[in-house]
Amino acid sequence: MKWLAPMFCLCALAACSGKPPAPESQPAAASTARVATPWDNMKKDEQRARDVQKAADQQAEKQRQAMEAAGQ
């Protein structure tokens, strides 16, 4: 009985040692993909606010120029 457990372990190790390692192509592809962060939505909102502010500034500049042209 004492030799049965070591013999079983030896057979298990021998059975597992001849196999090549599994390819790791899946984790490599996952590491290159961009992971979403909690700040992505805030950055999108911030950019949208900048765009709106730029449009408002351009409209105000056009109105200012129109008022100056009308005043002259």
Side-chain angles (χ1 to χ4, degrees), residues 34-48:
R34 187 175 180 291
V35 177
T37 63
W39 294 277
D40 286 345
N41 289 334
M42 287 192 314
K43 288 189 181 236
K44 287 179 186 176
D45 291 341
E46 185 178 354
Q47 185 60 43
R48 192 177 306 125

Side-chain angles (χ1 to χ4, degrees), residues 14-62:
C16 294
S17 65
K19 296 178 184 175
E24 295 186 16
S25 62
Q26 189 72 346
S31 66
T32 59
R34 187 175 180 291
V35 177
T37 63
W39 294 277
D40 286 345
N41 289 334
M42 287 192 314
K43 288 189 181 236
K44 287 179 186 176
D45 291 341
E46 185 178 354
Q47 185 60 43
R48 192 177 306 125
R50 282 189 193 126
D51 293 342
V52 168
Q53 184 64 45
K54 186 175 14 172
D57 291 343
Q58 289 174 350
Q59 183 66 26
E61 182 65 25
K62 286 180 185 177

